Amino acid sequence: MSVEKLSFGALSAGESVEKYVITNKSGAKVSVITYGATIAELFVPDRNGKTEDVLRSFDDLEGFVERCNYQGMTVAPYANRIANAKFTLNGSEYSLIPNEKGVTNLHSAGELSRRVWSAEIVDDHTVRMTIARKDGVGGFPGDMTFSVSFTLTDENELKIEYNAETNADTYINPTNHAYFNLAGQDSDTNADHLIRIEADCFTPVDAFSIPTGELKSVDSTPFDLRAFTRIGDHIDDCEQLALTGGYDHNFCIRGFDGTLRLCATVKEPGSGRMMEVLTDLPGVQFYAGNFLAGALGKGNKPLNKRCSFCLETQFYPDTPNHPNFPSCLVKKGETFRSTTVYRFTTF
Ligand code: GLA
């Protein structure tokens, strides 16, 4: 068990970026970089004990800066979309950056994904990254301090713990945007992965990928992933999937009560790798990488459409504009805390 600190280059403005590599006793390892508090690599064993990187992203800082679709990044203060880049809070309207289609706010326009965080080694398993952001940046109220801890346990669990404090009432909804392919770096498709999501309903969307507000039953739809289903089997099969070009939807996690629970399991038959995702949040965005368009990734291989997938734990998209969704309001002086675990085993 160890944590190693390495240089990961510098931004053009001169700010240096560090990489921390946490290795556990079985030889699994995770690398996190201070640019965007980003998970850059995650090596876990297959059924024969062969360890390989299951994250699709970039080898170097230039890739993360120039060609990134949030690969592995911490997204904050608000992950996912806010309709018309606006919300009202305590009677005031707040205008955000309309960075998608000139209308919608997506991923807080990358605010904290594009900054360099401070990092400290907490112990042999954990690195904590911290950043302060100012009231009003990108339209979001509140001076906030975020910290994200990345822990690799000896049981091959990557645990991500979010903590945020604010000096004004605000909405807080951080996530991590890792793109996985459990077959490793040679596979060019997510289609053969088997996925199960612990959700009886999902949030259908409009043409801007904004939830209509309905919590729709997954019964008799391609969103019924309650039993293991090949990702490729029904990915283009209905009008909702046509709107988003494949799975890119929030699933409402069964039994949400703020405690840690299993929300998704993915198995990759070729390698025997299995990933379980646990969270204390109410939702998980299953995004099948439909917008990936061949940017050069690790080993100079293109990150093609659907070469990987994301399971982004979160409050539902556009929560500030939907009083019927679980609230992500954090009041002045309160502390936001949340945990997500990606657990790796084999079958
Ligand atoms: C999220 C969204 C997707 C896409 C990616 C980033 O997961 O739901 O639609 O925008 O981020 O490319």
Side-chain angles (χ1 to χ4, degrees), residues 134 154 169 227 253 290 333-334:
K134 288 272 175 225
D154 283 328
D169 293 3
I253 300 166
N290 314 300
E334 284 180 357

Side-chain angles (χ1 to χ4, degrees), residues 42 44 52-56 179-182 185 273 344:
L42 179 56
V44 291
E52 207 185 331
D53 185 4
V54 295
L55 287 191
R56 285 305 170 75
Y179 288 71
F180 299 93
N181 186 319
L182 301 183
Q185 299 298 312
R273 290 193 183 91
F344 295 89

Side-chain angles (χ1 to χ4, degrees), residues 182-261:
L182 301 183
Q185 299 298 312
D186 290 337
S187 160
D188 199 35
T189 176
N190 59 29
D192 296 327
H193 289 74
L194 306 174
I195 190 163
R196 191 179 75 198
I197 300 186
E198 311 300 328
D200 303 313
C201 43
F202 72 108
T203 48
V205 295
D206 66 14
F208 289 92
S209 285
I210 295 294
T212 60
E214 185 188 0
L215 307 184
K216 189 174 165 60
S217 166
V218 298
D219 278 345
S220 309
T221 74
F223 297 90
D224 188 350
L225 302 174
R226 292 175 292 191
F228 282 108
T229 305
R230 231 180 121 259
I231 290 180
D233 274 357
H234 302 292
I235 192 165
D236 292 309
D237 277 10
C238 69
E239 203 185 314
Q240 269 298 308
L241 290 168
L243 278 176
T244 49
Y247 291 108
D248 190 0
H249 289 77
N250 170 69
F251 287 73
C252 310
I253 300 166
R254 182 185 312 121
F256 161 69
D257 65 358
T259 63
L260 200 65
R261 65 189 54 246

Side-chain angles (χ1 to χ4, degrees), residues 69-70 81 100 106-107 177 179 248 285 287 291 312:
N69 304 104
Y70 300 92
R81 296 178 170 82
E100 190 176 53
L106 172 65
H107 295 327
H177 208 303
Y179 288 71
D248 190 0
Q285 184 88 2
Y287 170 52
F291 298 131
E312 304 153 60

Side-chain angles (χ1 to χ4, degrees), residues 81-121:
R81 296 178 170 82
I82 296 183
N84 301 310
K86 279 187 182 17
F87 61 77
T88 301
L89 175 59
N90 298 335
S92 301
E93 187 176 86
Y94 292 87
S95 293
L96 314 172
I97 300 169
N99 64 316
E100 190 176 53
K101 300 180 180 166
V103 176
T104 303
N105 180 264
L106 172 65
H107 295 327
S108 309
E111 184 193 328
L112 297 185
S113 305
R114 296 289 184 184
R115 286 184 52 196
V116 177
W117 296 51
S118 311
E120 64 188 303
I121 297 172

Side-chain angles (χ1 to χ4, degrees), residues 16 82 102 105 135 175 191 233 307 330:
S16 61
I82 296 183
N105 180 264
D135 175 61
T175 196
D233 274 357
C307 73
V330 181

